């Protein structure tokens, strides 16, 4: 597969066209942002960790019956994925209270839920990715009713698979964000990344944070946390 011109540069990844019209190449950067771009920095090696961790988890999910955009890892930082049009929703699943949930509802972090929660936010940086419900998404025609149903079912399935996987490496999967895309024939697949940038991971024994909260909250040892997660996941 041949890498052609850059199509897009986001906060954490670049996307390139290829000679296959159904495929693009994503290239993971070490750039880190938080609070809608207000905080910026570099996490050395993050691009490699997020590329390898995402690819490992996407392949695990495929094996468990979740369709994804993954095609082939090309190098430490680059992966071929199916070209999709992204559904402009951030889909967040939570197993334990943390982050914006704890803040919004005035509760402490660490409450273990009996059932996972799901929420959507509108992927729109100018508006600060506002929280929305499924009716709002339908009103704005961001997705069809059938697509919303598919996305919800797939998101909970991803949670079941990942929760069990992480438990086995002594990590609590606190919460995470997913994005979905449409292939050229309209099929919904899991897209984007699943990494310490987009998940909260707490060590099951010590409750140490092993994710981007170390960067957001200036907790130190950010690089160590990312490489520790890669080690636990890839073995
Ligand atoms: N998240 C993300 N991108 C976003 C917002 C959230 O990947 O733009 C992830 C975040 O890493 C966490 C989960 O989604 O694992 C829930 O985040 P939350 O709503 O608590 O927001 P935050 O506290 O990160 O602002």
């Amino acid at each position: 597969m041949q890498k052609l011109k850059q199509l897009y540069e986001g906060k954490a990844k670049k996307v390139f066209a290829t000679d296959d019209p159904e495929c693009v190449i994503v290239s993971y950067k070490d750039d880190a942002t938080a609070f809608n771009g207000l905080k910026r920095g570099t996490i050395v090696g993050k691009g490699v960790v997020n590329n390898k961790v995402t690819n490992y988890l996407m392949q695990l999910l495929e094996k468990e019956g979740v369709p994804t955009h993954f095609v082939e890892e090309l190098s430490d930082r680059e992966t071929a994925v199916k070209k999709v049009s992204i559904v402009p929703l951030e889909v967040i699943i939570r197993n334990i209270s943390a982050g914006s949930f704890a803040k919004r509802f005035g509760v402490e972090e660490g409450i273990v839920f009996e059932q996972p929660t799901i929420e959507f936010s509108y992927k729109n940086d100018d508006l600060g990715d506002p929280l929305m419900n499924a009716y709002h998404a339908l009103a704005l025609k961001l997705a069809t009713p059938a697509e919303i149903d598919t996305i919800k079912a797939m998101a909970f399935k991803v949670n079941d698979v990942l929760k069990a996987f992480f438990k086995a490496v002594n990590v609590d999967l606190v919460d995470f964000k997913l994005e979905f895309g449409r292939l050229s024939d309209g099929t919904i697949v899991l897209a984007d990344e699943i990494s310490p940038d987009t998940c909260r991971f707490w060590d099951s024994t010590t409750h140490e944070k092993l994710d981007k909260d170390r960067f957001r909250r200036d907790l130190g040892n950010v690089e160590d946390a990312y490489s520790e997660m890669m080690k636990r996941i890839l073995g």
Side-chain angles (χ1 to χ4, degrees), residues 154-172:
M154 282 171 62
F156 283 121
K157 168 82 185 188
V158 168
N159 187 47
D160 290 341
V161 172
L162 294 187
K163 239 177 87 169
F165 173 80
F166 283 109
K167 196 78 218 161
V169 294
N170 207 47
V171 167
D172 289 338

Side-chain angles (χ1 to χ4, degrees), residues 90 92 94 99-100 129 175-177 197-200 216:
E90 299 200 335
I92 293 169
R94 300 178 190 272
S100 71
D129 298 340
D175 58 29
F176 56 94
K177 184 264 300 179
D197 270 12
T198 64
C199 303
R200 285 194 170 93
R216 294 190 188 99

Side-chain angles (χ1 to χ4, degrees), residues 101-188:
F101 181 98
K103 198 168 173 204
R104 174 172 301 115
F105 299 117
V107 297
E108 73 269 33
E109 296 201 314
I111 303 166
V112 179
F113 303 147
E114 274 178 28
Q115 302 205 162
T117 69
I118 189 166
E119 70 204 44
F120 301 112
S121 60
Y122 181 25
K123 240 178 98 65
N124 184 317
D125 280 340
D126 294 340
L127 299 176
D129 298 340
L131 185 69
M132 64 168 27
N133 66 35
Y135 292 94
H136 299 149
L138 291 173
L140 294 173
K141 295 200 169 1
L142 304 182
T144 66
E147 286 175 335
I148 296 278
D149 287 348
T150 301
I151 286 170
K152 274 199 223 164
M154 282 171 62
F156 283 121
K157 168 82 185 188
V158 168
N159 187 47
D160 290 341
V161 172
L162 294 187
K163 239 177 87 169
F165 173 80
F166 283 109
K167 196 78 218 161
V169 294
N170 207 47
V171 167
D172 289 338
L173 177 61
V174 175
D175 58 29
F176 56 94
K177 184 264 300 179
L178 300 176
E179 295 185 23
F180 293 87
R182 300 178 186 97
L183 301 179
S184 56
D185 68 357
T187 307
I188 295 281

